[in-house]
């Protein structure tokens, strides 16, 4: 599929702009003709290129799923609901995507297949749930669940963003203070030494840092760029990515907090999938993939194999040593009672509340670390300039 940005005129001669998703130029021209538009200019971009793919945000997915659920519940057909949803889109790219989905569904293609045609724009989780809703005839219920799911995902993201505002401001202040001390304050006191060889070792070290920041600051930019590129490359290397993702959930202090966040997302996703009638094996594959952690994905390959062989879900998950023992015990109770979907839903509510607290505690760990870092830097600078200040005071007294 390709994305075509166009400039065209309608039957009244009014100029209009937009985006159409089509298989090729002929298909694009046919769709333009259906719309009653005369194309003046158009630009093609291959949708397989990640830059041209429009990825729906959690906020947009929440709105779209809620609107579809409401319209389907009120008795409107799926085709009419998608048509109305398309007209409600404010941005051109999502409007073009929904327009293409509307046209495909109108031609008889399933809703899930139409969503799948726009790979990268919609999450695989949503596509799986829509497919399950179509099979069970409960698409309106599924859309409501998806709306609730993405609303909670959006809430968690906003919580993280809000919590990170103060640490980011504090970090910027730390960097500004450090740069100011080394580029303006330190040189003034270093000039007090008539003979640089008489400077204490600490002062010499700080003077070297000051000179580096003043005259070779471009090296820092180069080092930062190299580190960024190196990190991006490392994250694309499977072995390194697995080790980094393992450290994220096993690291001291922050590991258990990150695990709580993962547990809440996993429980909610597994509950939504399982209650929709999707087979447990597919539920596990989809639910683990939603977490975006390669180490957990690797561990869940064994879980899926064990469940296929008849092993209980609670026992298989316990052996991964990823989630808390309490969560594994809850799954065991759900399996024994035959109410796994409802118990998972309640557990998800609990862990999502814990996730909010975990985010606050994670951010709380950053603040004292930044304050300690700033204190150490200021302390070193004071220790470095004190001999020069003391020497100058002595020379004044001798005069």
């Amino acid at each position: 599929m390709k994305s075509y940005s166009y400039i065209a005129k309608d039957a009244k001669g009014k100029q209009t702009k937009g985006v159409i998703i089509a298989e090729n130029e002929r298909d694009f021209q046919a769709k333009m003709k259906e719309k009653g538009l005369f194309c003046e200019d158009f630009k093609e971009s291959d949708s397989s290129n990640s830059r041209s793919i429009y990825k729906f945000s959690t906020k947009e997915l929440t709105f779209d799923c809620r609107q579809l659920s409401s319209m389907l519940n009120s008795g409107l057909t799926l085709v009419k609901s998608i048509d109305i949803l398309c007209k409600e889109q404010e941005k051109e790219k999502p409007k073009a995507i929904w327009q293409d989905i509307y046209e495909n569904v109108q031609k008889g293609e399933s809703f899930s297949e139409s969503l799948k045609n726009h790979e990268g724009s919609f999450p695989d989780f949503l596509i799986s749930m829509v497919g399950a809703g179509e099979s069970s005839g409960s698409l309106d219920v599924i859309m409501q669940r998806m709306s609730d799911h993405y609303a909670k995902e959006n809430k968690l993201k906003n919580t993280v963003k809000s919590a990170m505002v103060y640490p980011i401001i504090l970090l910027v202040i730390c960097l500004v203070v450090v740069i100011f001390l080394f580029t303006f304050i330190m040189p003034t006191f270093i000039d007090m030494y008539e003979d640089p060889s008489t400077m204490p070792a600490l002062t010499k070290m700080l003077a070297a840092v000051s000179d580096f920041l003043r005259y070779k600051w471009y090296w820092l930019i180069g080092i930062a760029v190299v580190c960024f590129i190196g990190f991006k490359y490392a994250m694309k290397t499977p072995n390194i990515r697995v080790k980094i993702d393992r450290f994220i959930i096993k690291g001291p202090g922050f590991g258990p907090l990150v695990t709580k966040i993962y547990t809440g997302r996993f429980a909610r996703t597994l509950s939504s999938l399982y209650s929709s009638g999707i087979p447990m094996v597919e539920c596990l594959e989809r639910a683990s993939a939603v977490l975006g952690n390669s180490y957990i994905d690797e561990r869940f390959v064994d879980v899926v194999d064990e469940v296929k062989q008849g092993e209980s879900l609670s026992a298989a998950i316990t052996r991964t040593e990823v989630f808390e023992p309490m969560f594994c015990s809850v799954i065991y109770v759900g399996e024994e009672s035959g109410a796994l979907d409802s118990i998972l839903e309640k557990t998800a509510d609990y862990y999502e509340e814990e996730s909010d607290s975990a985010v606050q505690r994670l951010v709380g760990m950053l603040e004292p670390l930044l304050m300690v870092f700033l204190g150490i830097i200021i302390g070193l600078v004071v220790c470095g300039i004190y001999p020069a200040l003391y020497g100058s005071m002595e020379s004044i007294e001798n005069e």
Side-chain angles (χ1 to χ4, degrees):
M1 300 296 285
K2 296 177 181 179
S3 175
Y4 293 86
S5 302
Y6 66 84
I7 300 174
K9 285 186 178 181
D10 59 17
K12 296 180 180 179
K14 184 180 178 182
Q15 191 177 75
T16 181
K17 296 180 181 179
V19 179
I20 286 181
I21 309 295
E23 292 182 3
N24 49 46
E25 188 176 335
R26 182 180 293 178
D27 187 31
F28 163 71
Q29 294 291 355
K31 289 185 177 183
M32 290 290 290
K33 190 175 181 180
E34 287 176 10
K35 290 176 178 287
L37 296 174
F38 174 73
C39 183
E40 293 184 328
D41 188 26
F42 70 94
K43 185 179 179 182
E44 172 192 328
S45 57
D46 190 349
S47 64
S48 62
N49 185 337
S50 60
R51 292 182 180 179
S52 65
I53 293 175
Y54 182 85
K55 189 173 182 179
F56 283 81
S57 66
T58 50
K59 184 178 180 181
E60 289 174 317
L61 291 171
T62 302
F63 172 79
D64 292 343
C65 292
R66 183 182 294 121
Q67 292 297 94
L68 282 174
S69 174
S70 300
M71 288 186 282
L72 291 171
N73 272 320
S74 65
L76 291 176
T77 63
L78 177 61
V79 173
K80 185 62 178 176
S81 299
I82 297 174
D83 183 33
I84 294 172
L85 182 63
C86 176
K87 292 173 182 176
E88 289 181 345
Q89 302 299 311
E90 296 179 356
K91 299 177 182 177
E92 286 295 333
K93 285 191 175 181
K95 190 169 188 176
I97 290 171
W98 280 113
Q99 179 66 32
D100 186 62
I101 291 170
Y102 163 72
E103 290 170 1
N104 289 336
V105 172
Q106 195 176 36
K107 292 174 184 175
E109 192 174 82
S110 69
F111 186 26
S112 56
E113 284 297 322
S114 300
L115 293 175
K116 197 179 292 184
N117 289 338
H118 296 275
E119 188 178 355
S121 295
F122 298 98
D124 291 338
F125 175 52
L126 174 63
I127 296 170
S128 297
M129 292 295 288
V130 168
E134 287 179 312
S135 301
S136 61
S138 56
L139 188 58
D140 54 341
V141 177
I142 293 296
M143 285 292 100
Q144 184 58 52
R145 285 181 185 169
M146 289 294 91
S147 173
D148 294 340
H149 173 84
Y150 288 115
K152 287 171 182 176
E153 285 277 307
N154 191 53
K155 180 186 174 184
L156 180 60
K157 286 183 179 179
N158 289 338
T159 301
V160 173
K161 288 179 182 178
S162 301
M164 287 300 294
V165 170
Y166 178 68
I168 289 172
I169 293 173
L170 191 59
L171 178 61
V172 171
I173 292 173
C174 285
L175 292 174
V176 170
V177 169
V178 169
I179 292 171
F180 178 76
L181 287 173
F182 279 101
T183 56
F184 293 98
I185 304 299
M186 277 300 298
T188 303
F189 286 95
I190 290 170
D191 291 341
M192 291 181 179
Y193 286 96
E194 294 180 0
D195 184 5
S197 63
T198 62
M199 287 192 297
L202 178 61
T203 307
K204 287 181 179 178
M205 182 188 75
L206 295 176
V209 173
S210 176
D211 289 340
F212 183 83
L213 287 175
R214 291 170 68 196
Y215 304 115
K216 296 183 179 180
W217 52 269
Y218 50 86
W219 277 92
L220 288 176
I221 296 176
I223 292 169
V225 170
V226 169
C227 289
F228 176 76
I229 294 173
F231 179 77
K232 293 281 285 184
Y233 176 78
M235 292 300 284
K236 291 180 180 179
T237 306
N239 291 337
I240 299 175
R241 175 69 183 269
V242 169
K243 289 177 181 177
I244 293 173
D245 284 345
R246 184 184 186 280
F247 179 72
I248 289 173
I249 61 174
K250 298 289 185 179
F254 60 86
L257 299 178
V258 175
T259 300
K260 284 186 182 294
I261 296 171
Y262 279 162
T263 305
R265 292 183 67 191
F266 177 79
R268 174 66 61 193
T269 306
L270 186 62
S271 170
S272 299
L273 289 166
Y274 186 68
S275 60
S276 301
I278 296 175
M280 178 55 74
V281 170
E282 186 179 346
C283 289
L284 293 172
E285 291 171 343
R286 295 290 186 189
S288 62
V290 165
L291 301 180
N293 186 294
S294 58
Y295 174 73
I296 295 177
D297 287 342
E298 191 178 75
R299 301 295 293 169
F300 263 78
V301 171
D302 296 332
V303 173
V304 170
D305 289 340
E306 289 171 8
V307 170
K308 283 180 180 178
Q309 294 169 12
E311 181 68 86
S312 67
L313 177 60
S314 55
I317 286 183
T318 301
R319 280 193 283 273
T320 63
E321 299 181 352
V322 171
F323 301 110
E324 295 179 346
M326 188 189 86
F327 178 66
C328 300
S329 300
V330 166
I331 291 179
Y332 173 77
V333 171
E335 287 180 309
E336 292 296 310
S337 62
L340 183 59
D341 51 348
S342 60
I343 286 181
L344 278 172
E345 188 173 356
K346 292 175 183 176
T347 307
D349 291 336
Y350 166 76
Y351 274 105
E352 280 169 355
E353 291 179 7
E354 287 290 301
S355 296
D356 292 341
S357 302
V359 169
Q360 297 296 334
R361 277 179 280 174
L362 276 171
V363 174
M365 291 169 65
L366 292 174
E367 294 172 12
L369 288 175
L370 290 172
M371 294 302 294
V372 169
F373 169 74
L374 184 59
I376 290 172
I377 294 296
I378 293 174
L380 286 173
V381 171
V382 170
C383 292
I385 66 176
Y386 179 75
L389 184 62
Y390 181 73
S392 64
M393 293 298 291
E394 274 191 339
S395 62
I396 292 171
E397 288 177 1
N398 291 335
E399 291 177 0

